[in-house]
Amino acid sequence: MTISIALLGAGRIGKVHAQAISRDPNAKLCAVTDAFPDAANAVAEQYGCPVRTIEEIISNDTIDAVVICTPTNTHADLIEAFARVGKKIFCEKPIDLDLKRVKSCLQVVKDTGAQLMLGFNRRFDPHFAGIKHEIDRGTLGSLEQATIISRDPGLPPYEYIDVSGGIFRDMMIHDFDMARFLLGEEFTSVQATASVLVDPKVADHNDYDTASVLLTTRGGQQCTITNSRRASYGYDQRIEVFGSLGMCAAENQRPVSIEVATSDGYLRPPLHDFFMTRYTDAYAAEIAAFVAAIADQTVPQPSGQDGLQALILAEAALKSLREGRAVDPAEIG
Amino acid sequence: MTISIALLGAGRIGKVHAQAISRDPNAKLCAVTDAFPDAANAVAEQYGCPVRTIEEIISNDTIDAVVICTPTNTHADLIEAFARVGKKIFCEKPIDLDLKRVKSCLQVVKDTGAQLMLGFNRRFDPHFAGIKHEIDRGTLGSLEQATIISRDPGLPPYEYIDVSGGIFRDMMIHDFDMARFLLGEEFTSVQATASVLVDPKVADHNDYDTASVLLTTRGGQQCTITNSRRASYGYDQRIEVFGSLGMCAAENQRPVSIEVATSDGYLRPPLHDFFMTRYTDAYAAEIAAFVAAIADQTVPQPSGQDGLQALILAEAALKSLREGRAVDPAEIG
Amino acid sequence: MTISIALLGAGRIGKVHAQAISRDPNAKLCAVTDAFPDAANAVAEQYGCPVRTIEEIISNDTIDAVVICTPTNTHADLIEAFARVGKKIFCEKPIDLDLKRVKSCLQVVKDTGAQLMLGFNRRFDPHFAGIKHEIDRGTLGSLEQATIISRDPGLPPYEYIDVSGGIFRDMMIHDFDMARFLLGEEFTSVQATASVLVDPKVADHNDYDTASVLLTTRGGQQCTITNSRRASYGYDQRIEVFGSLGMCAAENQRPVSIEVATSDGYLRPPLHDFFMTRYTDAYAAEIAAFVAAIADQTVPQPSGQDGLQALILAEAALKSLREGRAVDPAEIG
Amino acid sequence: MTISIALLGAGRIGKVHAQAISRDPNAKLCAVTDAFPDAANAVAEQYGCPVRTIEEIISNDTIDAVVICTPTNTHADLIEAFARVGKKIFCEKPIDLDLKRVKSCLQVVKDTGAQLMLGFNRRFDPHFAGIKHEIDRGTLGSLEQATIISRDPGLPPYEYIDVSGGIFRDMMIHDFDMARFLLGEEFTSVQATASVLVDPKVADHNDYDTASVLLTTRGGQQCTITNSRRASYGYDQRIEVFGSLGMCAAENQRPVSIEVATSDGYLRPPLHDFFMTRYTDAYAAEIAAFVAAIADQTVPQPSGQDGLQALILAEAALKSLREGRAVDPAEIG
């Protein structure tokens, strides 16, 4: 069985998914759409599929699924539209930056019985998935603490910051999802701190560039998350989970694994400098999981609900920051 | 110039310091005392020095300095007694578990102009000192975040827990000192979480065995500290500091640095399983620094004030935990 | 400009190259041939290209180049045939196991002015290429010593051993090429040792499974090569080069980069267990280099001459082994 | 029981052993001698023992053992003299640079039934000993290959080279011993190469500065040894042993284990720059083993015979180099 997939949005991340779809032996890119005709045409030409309007894709019964890579503010509407016609949906995170909108969208998903998978790509990174595998097979015993360090190579453009929802909703949301995914528990306490240390102009854009959060589950498990928008040495993406029997850590990744020893010491090259090269394998595995879930008629993970929970943690972190206290996510919304 | 040092307390840590003194070419162990005559005699015999009473040491003008390794509840009284007779004082941390008593003791130190060095041995670990060196020479740029993970190999005896002051005052106090030492700033916000995950009996002894803290300076620098009283893989002691130009991390230490590759994978041996073997070099360097400060007539570091500040952070963490809010250490005392 | 490439041989390595060609935006797989119709049809179907006979490919003017992945004993004939019709040729190593045949084939290549690239894929591994890059930019100063360790995960089938030409011509030939490539000099002395330690039946097939070689250049540069046909921990592929200013080493690669710490110690997963997953990136980069050389009208590297020199080193190693002396490759042929 | 030890030779290595003896609770430094009175007096003063002549030490019945650290050309005579009076003997390697003299000396040792331990300190390095431990417990299965890389931080003085016996007898002899110690077999084939690459003046002193050797046992086990007299990045001391079940490698050691990540990459400090700081623990463990063997009345290892065998391998390497062929050590002497 080959799954027919239409691509909605042919920008940077859309192209990544187009390539992943084209290389998946069980999937076929059958249509592409984008507000910018040039972008759509480029993908259409490269992968040999037609450009279609969203309406055409909605009404085309031969299309099994859509991959939504359009701007964030269109996600919820598109999810609802495709949920109503019974298409399988993969949507880049977030569903929306507004919690109410996310909830109403997920209500539609629920009412229509649609299958929605959310694009938390890091769950599919082979190294992070390796940690999960060790957790699941019991190597670490009962889990007690997690440490997540996530630093971008550099600050995004100010225009991006303006529409991003801020560091907690845009960047740390990946780490919130990972914390939930790995510990397998919901958090009942969120304590946050955040600063502008990288670039003072970030404050003018009502955001932070440096943030840390302390999460606690009802059972007392603890997780620290450390974020910075800039790391001189590349894309710093580390996770470790500690339990009664041991600890598992994922190492940082670099494009070239050599070490040069001179009188200065032993030098290894910097890390990846871009999320797309760092997470190439993760993006491919993510689409493969979406395709496999459709083929096997199982529920794709992570779900819309996972997206909602991560967003609630981001809101709780913001509330903790404003009120200088530990916030229970149950207070949110 | 050879510094004459009397050792007060010939227990486990006392013996470590006796050895360090005996190996320091600029120091001489000239007397030892202990409430248990056997303990004093053993050290006296091994290092060829007489057993003396505390009173004899106080009144002996040929003794330049004392190293205090007696039980915690005697520290403050001894510091005061030796401060009043003008001896240089090295005291194992903490000065006292009670903040008021620490303050009154430090007042005596101040009034007498005594020189007091406090035993935060980790500052003298060559690897952590290596981080400090990189910070001081500007390699990391302006400092932004620190991550400290400190896990003991195993739970101490319950009787120890009962008199320890609890995980924040006994264990994390080392990390509070290290955070202050490395970042070079005072913290204005402390957020804490703590649980009993290792051994439920710890709760019966009114303590926690698993704790994490989030510290923020006035300038927005952030530090996370993660503690556990038990790590299956040994004595986990990691520090990293991140700044505008880069990051510096100290690796864990193991007694044997080999790697065995089999069909199971690549295995390196566990870490040190005991603080004394892990910090052998640090203890030697600590005493050497004390001796050098006396010889050079400089002020030994870390000071009694450093001990006070670390204790205040521990108190702030406890208050944050109880009140579920960010606590400014300025609120304490 | 898109390069039209025909694939000769649709077996295991043929499929790897088919995929690499299909993913290269500057290349197009335009025909496939194989003695087994099923194999040819499978590739033809997956990549949407016709099955053609060798004769059809020879006579088709729209085909720019061929990639030869047929059995070794057909390589020389095919190279000559395609050289004579002016097609660009990529051929899997070796050209032939017989030195005379290699030489006569390369004479045809020379006479026809054909462009022949030989499949020493490891030159294109990003990590080994990283070493080369450091050498070329002078980081290591003048080169003095190289250490190459190459161990297969497991013994190949006996039938493969029978036609392989033996461990020196089949396996160590990659390391001979790498030694020449990295040091940039020809060797004037070859000293070899070889044993059957992995599986006594290897001796029945007139081969060795464990071999080491010591190479010296006229200028006194030294290279040790260590081979084994079996490593319990995976595909062990390490190279380091040492010079007057420093040393550069490429680390082994594993599919999952995690570390699990338990009471047993710190365990990282085994290495890749298959040359195709280990060298995925190398195979893609190799075909890209072939395509780029055609497009840019430059001479593709490594050349047929490189294949000849590596084979001569293998012959010299065998001669050294038989005669118990250092052999100058100039003695060969 | 405390072992009374006299130190013969109070130079650089003599001081290392004096310190090791003084720190060993089961040993006592009871006398020191040196051709230079100042050197003897300095050790005597530091460790509180008398200066004595060699004759006085020979005739003193209260002295159990001697540690010989005098110039190489006095070793054999001293060993014989102390063997004849029944003292236990620890002697720095080598016994002599002349094979005949070594043999006649060992004959005296044998005839007198003396106990002689030779100073191959690296056997006592905790990391190399860790490899041996893994071998002995069977982790690696049957042994097949060893790789030893040993590079000095820098060239010794020319005067040292003149009396050293050359790179094979002076430097690689440690690696020959280690190869025998780890593989537990004698070698039947030695193939060598050597060059002057570090400093052309080394040739004027009739020595090489860069050498590699290929050793094979009767059973076909292989060992490569790579030496250089200069490494920009410090004292490079690596050993790995490979067997049917796996591989064990000892990592290089550095004084400060930190890693600094900047835009240049991840930098760890250089290795130790001096054999004394690199092998501090090994020297202490070596003397402890000598003392323990005396106390326990067991035969100390490594023996004089071990010294002889290593020297024979060095001679075989030189012969291989001169004659351009594989040399069986049985040919030597």
Side-chain angles (χ1 to χ4, degrees):
Chain A
M1 180 194 181
T2 299
I3 311 297
S4 283
I5 300 179
L7 179 69
L8 283 58
R12 198 168 63 169
I13 189 69
K15 284 179 194 161
V16 170
H17 290 313
Q19 185 177 66
I21 294 165
S22 77
R23 291 186 182 179
D24 192 317
N26 302 314
K28 194 169 152 281
L29 187 63
C30 63
V32 59
T33 191
D34 196 289
F36 296 93
D38 283 359
N41 288 333
V43 165
E45 193 164 325
Q46 182 168 3
Y47 297 101
C49 73
V51 174
R52 291 285 179 264
T53 64
I54 287 176
E55 292 67 31
E56 288 168 343
I57 294 168
I58 288 178
S59 62
N60 186 331
D61 288 349
T62 71
I63 295 177
D64 301 304
V66 292
V67 166
I68 303 176
C69 310
T70 52
T72 294
N73 60 6
T74 67
H75 287 183
D77 289 349
L78 288 171
I79 289 171
E80 292 182 356
F82 285 97
R84 288 193 173 105
V85 295
K87 303 229 179 289
K88 320 294 184 189
I89 306 160
F90 174 94
C91 184
E92 270 304 311
K93 66 100 203 163
I95 295 171
D96 199 277
L97 293 170
D98 181 74
L99 205 58
K100 276 192 197 160
R101 185 67 190 90
V102 173
K103 286 182 177 174
S104 65
C105 175
L106 290 181
Q107 190 60 46
V108 173
V109 170
K110 191 180 174 190
D111 293 346
T112 57
Q115 281 193 7
L116 168 64
M117 175 172 167
L118 211 66
F120 284 124
N121 61 301
R122 295 184 195 176
R123 291 194 184 197
F124 299 92
D125 175 72
H127 318 295
F128 300 155
I131 296 180
K132 178 67 170 162
H133 178 68
E134 295 298 331
I135 291 170
D136 289 347
R137 61 195 282 251
T139 313
L140 310 186
S142 56
L143 304 185
E144 297 172 359
Q145 295 179 316
T147 304
I148 301 178
I149 295 176
S150 177
R151 296 185 178 117
D152 284 347
L155 209 63
Y158 299 128
E159 311 84 69
Y160 178 84
I161 291 177
D162 287 337
V163 299
S164 71
I167 193 169
F168 291 105
R169 290 191 196 93
D170 174 60
M171 179 176 177
M172 199 180 280
I173 200 157
H174 280 288
D175 307 304
F176 288 133
D177 180 64
M178 195 55 74
R180 292 181 63 248
F181 174 61
L182 292 176
L183 291 184
E185 300 278 343
E186 298 298 339
F187 297 101
T188 53
S189 164
V190 179
Q191 300 175 77
T193 189
S195 332
V196 177
L197 300 177
V198 173
D199 176 354
K201 286 197 185 138
V202 169
D204 302 339
H205 292 263
N206 300 310
D207 200 1
Y208 306 96
D209 51 35
T210 305
S212 298
V213 159
L214 188 51
L215 305 171
T216 312
T217 68
R218 188 175 313 278
Q221 297 166 308
Q222 302 160 8
C223 177
T224 62
I225 299 174
T226 301
N227 275 187
S228 171
R229 283 288 197 184
R230 175 264 297 117
S232 64
Y233 48 90
Y235 195 27
D236 187 1
Q237 299 279 289
R238 284 176 288 160
I239 294 176
E240 66 178 60
V241 179
F242 170 82
S244 57
L245 297 181
M247 190 257 291
C248 185
E251 299 167 17
N252 262 318
Q253 300 295 310
R254 47 174 54 78
V256 178
S257 292
I258 60 172
E259 191 159 36
V260 178
T262 66
S263 56
D264 291 335
Y266 279 66
L267 183 70
R268 294 186 292 162
L271 308 177
H272 284 279
D273 60 359
F274 192 34
F275 73 92
M276 288 196 182
T277 56
R278 167 62 184 85
Y279 284 119
T280 304
D281 291 344
Y283 283 116
E286 180 182 56
I287 288 297
F290 178 59
V291 170
I294 297 172
D296 304 346
Q297 301 191 319
T298 58
V299 179
Q301 294 286 342
S303 68
Q305 203 59 31
D306 289 315
L308 175 64
Q309 291 303 323
L311 186 60
I312 287 175
L313 289 172
E315 299 289 338
L318 281 164
K319 194 178 181 76
S320 167
L321 190 64
R322 276 192 301 265
E323 303 184 5
R325 66 177 180 90
V327 170
D328 185 339
E331 297 177 32
I332 305 299
Chain B
M1 180 194 182
T2 299
I3 311 298
S4 283
I5 300 178
L7 178 70
L8 283 58
R12 198 167 63 169
I13 189 69
K15 284 179 195 160
V16 170
H17 290 313
Q19 186 177 66
I21 294 165
S22 78
R23 291 186 182 179
D24 192 317
N26 302 314
K28 193 169 152 279
L29 188 63
C30 62
V32 60
T33 192
D34 196 289
F36 295 94
D38 284 359
N41 288 333
V43 165
E45 193 164 326
Q46 184 168 4
Y47 297 101
C49 72
V51 174
R52 292 285 179 262
T53 64
I54 288 178
E55 291 67 31
E56 288 169 343
I57 294 168
I58 288 178
S59 60
N60 186 331
D61 287 350
T62 69
I63 296 177
D64 300 308
V66 291
V67 166
I68 302 176
C69 309
T70 52
T72 294
N73 60 6
T74 68
H75 287 185
D77 288 349
L78 288 171
I79 289 171
E80 292 182 356
F82 285 97
R84 290 192 172 107
V85 295
K87 303 227 179 291
K88 319 296 183 187
I89 306 160
F90 174 94
C91 184
E92 271 303 310
K93 65 103 202 160
I95 295 172
D96 198 280
L97 293 170
D98 180 74
L99 206 57
K100 276 191 197 161
R101 185 67 190 91
V102 173
K103 287 182 176 173
S104 65
C105 175
L106 289 181
Q107 190 60 45
V108 173
V109 170
K110 190 179 174 191
D111 294 346
T112 57
Q115 281 193 8
L116 168 65
M117 175 171 166
L118 210 66
F120 284 125
N121 60 301
R122 295 185 195 175
R123 290 194 185 197
F124 299 92
D125 175 72
H127 319 294
F128 299 156
I131 296 180
K132 177 66 171 163
H133 178 70
E134 295 298 331
I135 291 171
D136 289 347
R137 60 195 284 250
T139 314
L140 311 185
S142 54
L143 305 185
E144 296 172 0
Q145 295 179 317
T147 304
I148 301 178
I149 295 176
S150 177
R151 295 185 179 119
D152 285 345
L155 209 61
Y158 300 128
E159 311 83 69
Y160 178 85
I161 292 176
D162 287 336
V163 300
S164 70
I167 193 169
F168 291 106
R169 291 191 196 93
D170 174 60
M171 181 176 177
M172 199 180 281
I173 200 158
H174 280 288
D175 307 305
F176 288 133
D177 180 64
M178 195 55 75
R180 291 181 63 249
F181 174 61
L182 292 176
L183 292 183
E185 300 278 343
E186 298 299 340
F187 296 101
T188 52
S189 163
V190 179
Q191 299 176 77
T193 188
S195 332
V196 177
L197 299 177
V198 173
D199 177 355
K201 286 198 185 136
V202 169
D204 303 339
H205 292 263
N206 299 310
D207 200 1
Y208 307 95
D209 51 34
T210 305
S212 297
V213 160
L214 188 51
L215 305 170
T216 312
T217 68
R218 188 176 311 279
Q221 296 166 308
Q222 302 160 8
C223 176
T224 63
I225 299 175
T226 302
N227 275 188
S228 171
R229 284 287 196 183
R230 176 264 295 118
S232 65
Y233 49 90
Y235 195 28
D236 188 1
Q237 299 279 288
R238 284 176 288 159
I239 295 177
E240 66 178 61
V241 178
F242 170 82
S244 57
L245 297 182
M247 189 256 291
C248 184
E251 299 167 17
N252 262 317
Q253 299 294 312
R254 46 174 55 80
V256 178
S257 291
I258 60 174
E259 191 159 37
V260 179
T262 66
S263 55
D264 291 336
Y266 279 65
L267 184 70
R268 294 187 292 162
L271 308 177
H272 284 279
D273 59 359
F274 193 34
F275 72 93
M276 289 196 182
T277 56
R278 168 64 183 81
Y279 284 119
T280 304
D281 290 344
Y283 283 116
E286 181 182 53
I287 288 297
F290 178 58
V291 169
I294 298 174
D296 304 346
Q297 302 192 317
T298 58
V299 179
Q301 294 285 342
S303 68
Q305 202 60 31
D306 289 316
L308 175 64
Q309 291 303 323
L311 186 60
I312 286 174
L313 289 172
E315 299 290 336
L318 281 163
K319 195 178 180 78
S320 167
L321 191 64
R322 276 193 302 265
E323 303 184 5
R325 64 177 181 89
V327 169
D328 185 337
E331 297 178 31
I332 305 297
Chain C
M1 179 196 182
T2 299
I3 311 297
S4 283
I5 300 178
L7 179 70
L8 282 60
R12 199 168 60 169
I13 190 69
K15 283 179 195 160
V16 170
H17 290 313
Q19 186 178 65
I21 294 165
S22 77
R23 290 185 183 180
D24 191 317
N26 302 314
K28 193 168 154 278
L29 186 64
C30 62
V32 60
T33 191
D34 195 290
F36 297 93
D38 284 0
N41 287 333
V43 165
E45 193 164 325
Q46 184 169 1
Y47 297 101
C49 72
V51 175
R52 291 284 179 262
T53 64
I54 288 177
E55 292 67 30
E56 288 169 343
I57 294 168
I58 287 177
S59 62
N60 186 330
D61 289 348
T62 70
I63 296 178
D64 301 306
V66 292
V67 167
I68 302 176
C69 310
T70 52
T72 293
N73 59 6
T74 67
H75 287 184
D77 288 348
L78 288 171
I79 290 171
E80 293 181 357
F82 285 98
R84 290 193 172 106
V85 296
K87 302 228 180 290
K88 320 294 186 190
I89 306 161
F90 174 95
C91 183
E92 269 304 310
K93 65 100 202 163
I95 294 172
D96 198 277
L97 292 172
D98 180 74
L99 206 57
K100 278 192 197 160
R101 184 69 190 92
V102 173
K103 287 181 177 175
S104 64
C105 176
L106 291 182
Q107 190 60 46
V108 173
V109 170
K110 191 179 173 192
D111 294 346
T112 57
Q115 281 193 8
L116 168 64
M117 175 171 167
L118 210 67
F120 284 125
N121 61 300
R122 294 185 196 175
R123 291 195 184 196
F124 300 93
D125 175 72
H127 318 296
F128 300 155
I131 295 180
K132 178 68 170 160
H133 178 69
E134 295 298 332
I135 291 171
D136 289 347
R137 61 195 283 253
T139 313
L140 311 186
S142 54
L143 304 186
E144 296 172 0
Q145 295 179 316
T147 304
I148 301 179
I149 294 175
S150 177
R151 297 187 177 116
D152 284 347
L155 209 62
Y158 300 127
E159 310 84 69
Y160 178 84
I161 291 176
D162 287 337
V163 300
S164 71
I167 192 169
F168 292 104
R169 289 192 197 92
D170 175 58
M171 181 176 176
M172 200 180 279
I173 200 158
H174 280 289
D175 307 305
F176 288 131
D177 180 64
M178 195 54 76
R180 292 181 63 248
F181 175 61
L182 292 176
L183 291 184
E185 300 279 343
E186 298 299 339
F187 296 101
T188 53
S189 163
V190 178
Q191 299 176 78
T193 189
S195 333
V196 176
L197 299 177
V198 173
D199 177 354
K201 286 197 184 137
V202 169
D204 303 339
H205 292 264
N206 300 310
D207 200 1
Y208 307 96
D209 51 34
T210 305
S212 297
V213 160
L214 188 51
L215 306 170
T216 311
T217 68
R218 189 175 310 280
Q221 297 166 309
Q222 302 160 7
C223 177
T224 62
I225 299 175
T226 301
N227 275 188
S228 171
R229 283 288 196 185
R230 173 265 296 118
S232 64
Y233 49 89
Y235 196 27
D236 187 1
Q237 299 279 289
R238 285 174 287 159
I239 295 176
E240 66 179 59
V241 179
F242 170 81
S244 56
L245 297 181
M247 190 257 291
C248 184
E251 299 168 17
N252 262 317
Q253 299 294 312
R254 45 174 55 79
V256 178
S257 292
I258 61 173
E259 192 160 36
V260 178
T262 66
S263 56
D264 291 334
Y266 279 66
L267 184 71
R268 294 186 292 162
L271 308 176
H272 284 279
D273 60 359
F274 193 34
F275 73 92
M276 288 196 182
T277 56
R278 167 62 183 83
Y279 284 119
T280 305
D281 291 344
Y283 283 116
E286 181 182 53
I287 288 297
F290 178 59
V291 169
I294 298 172
D296 304 346
Q297 301 192 315
T298 58
V299 179
Q301 293 287 341
S303 68
Q305 202 60 31
D306 289 315
L308 175 64
Q309 291 303 324
L311 187 59
I312 287 175
L313 289 173
E315 299 291 337
L318 280 164
K319 194 178 182 75
S320 166
L321 191 62
R322 276 193 302 266
E323 305 184 3
R325 65 178 181 88
V327 170
D328 185 338
E331 298 177 31
I332 305 297
Chain D
M1 180 193 183
T2 300
I3 311 299
S4 283
I5 300 178
L7 179 70
L8 282 58
R12 198 167 62 170
I13 189 71
K15 284 180 195 158
V16 170
H17 290 313
Q19 185 177 67
I21 294 166
S22 78
R23 291 186 182 178
D24 191 316
N26 302 315
K28 192 168 152 280
L29 187 64
C30 62
V32 60
T33 191
D34 197 290
F36 295 94
D38 284 1
N41 289 332
V43 165
E45 193 164 325
Q46 184 168 2
Y47 297 102
C49 72
V51 174
R52 292 285 178 261
T53 64
I54 288 177
E55 291 67 30
E56 288 168 344
I57 294 167
I58 287 178
S59 62
N60 186 331
D61 287 349
T62 70
I63 295 178
D64 300 307
V66 292
V67 166
I68 302 176
C69 309
T70 52
T72 293
N73 59 6
T74 68
H75 287 184
D77 290 347
L78 288 172
I79 290 171
E80 293 182 358
F82 286 98
R84 291 194 171 107
V85 297
K87 301 225 181 295
K88 320 295 185 189
I89 306 160
F90 174 95
C91 184
E92 270 303 310
K93 65 100 201 162
I95 293 171
D96 198 278
L97 293 171
D98 181 73
L99 206 57
K100 277 191 198 161
R101 185 67 191 92
V102 173
K103 287 182 177 175
S104 64
C105 175
L106 290 182
Q107 190 60 46
V108 173
V109 170
K110 192 180 173 190
D111 293 346
T112 56
Q115 281 193 9
L116 169 63
M117 175 171 167
L118 210 67
F120 284 125
N121 61 301
R122 293 184 197 175
R123 290 195 185 196
F124 299 92
D125 175 72
H127 318 295
F128 299 156
I131 296 179
K132 177 67 170 161
H133 178 69
E134 295 298 331
I135 290 171
D136 290 346
R137 61 194 284 250
T139 313
L140 311 185
S142 55
L143 304 186
E144 296 172 0
Q145 296 179 316
T147 304
I148 301 179
I149 295 174
S150 177
R151 296 186 178 117
D152 285 346
L155 208 63
Y158 300 127
E159 310 85 68
Y160 178 84
I161 291 177
D162 287 336
V163 299
S164 71
I167 192 169
F168 291 105
R169 291 192 197 93
D170 174 60
M171 180 176 176
M172 200 181 278
I173 199 157
H174 281 289
D175 307 305
F176 288 132
D177 180 65
M178 195 54 77
R180 291 180 64 248
F181 175 61
L182 293 175
L183 291 183
E185 301 278 343
E186 298 299 340
F187 296 101
T188 53
S189 164
V190 178
Q191 299 176 78
T193 189
S195 333
V196 176
L197 299 177
V198 173
D199 177 355
K201 287 197 185 138
V202 169
D204 302 339
H205 293 263
N206 300 309
D207 200 2
Y208 307 97
D209 51 33
T210 305
S212 297
V213 160
L214 188 50
L215 305 170
T216 312
T217 67
R218 188 174 312 278
Q221 297 166 308
Q222 302 160 6
C223 177
T224 62
I225 299 175
T226 302
N227 276 188
S228 172
R229 284 286 196 185
R230 175 263 296 116
S232 64
Y233 49 90
Y235 195 27
D236 188 0
Q237 299 280 288
R238 285 174 289 160
I239 295 177
E240 66 178 60
V241 179
F242 170 81
S244 56
L245 297 181
M247 190 257 291
C248 184
E251 299 168 17
N252 263 317
Q253 299 295 311
R254 47 173 56 79
V256 178
S257 292
I258 60 174
E259 192 159 37
V260 178
T262 66
S263 55
D264 290 334
Y266 279 65
L267 183 70
R268 293 186 293 161
L271 308 177
H272 284 279
D273 60 0
F274 193 34
F275 73 92
M276 289 195 182
T277 55
R278 169 61 183 84
Y279 284 119
T280 304
D281 291 344
Y283 283 116
E286 181 182 52
I287 288 297
F290 178 58
V291 169
I294 298 173
D296 304 346
Q297 302 190 318
T298 58
V299 179
Q301 293 285 342
S303 68
Q305 203 59 33
D306 289 317
L308 176 64
Q309 291 303 323
L311 187 60
I312 287 175
L313 290 172
E315 299 291 336
L318 281 164
K319 195 177 179 75
S320 166
L321 191 62
R322 276 193 301 264
E323 304 184 4
R325 65 176 181 90
V327 170
D328 185 337
E331 298 177 32
I332 305 297

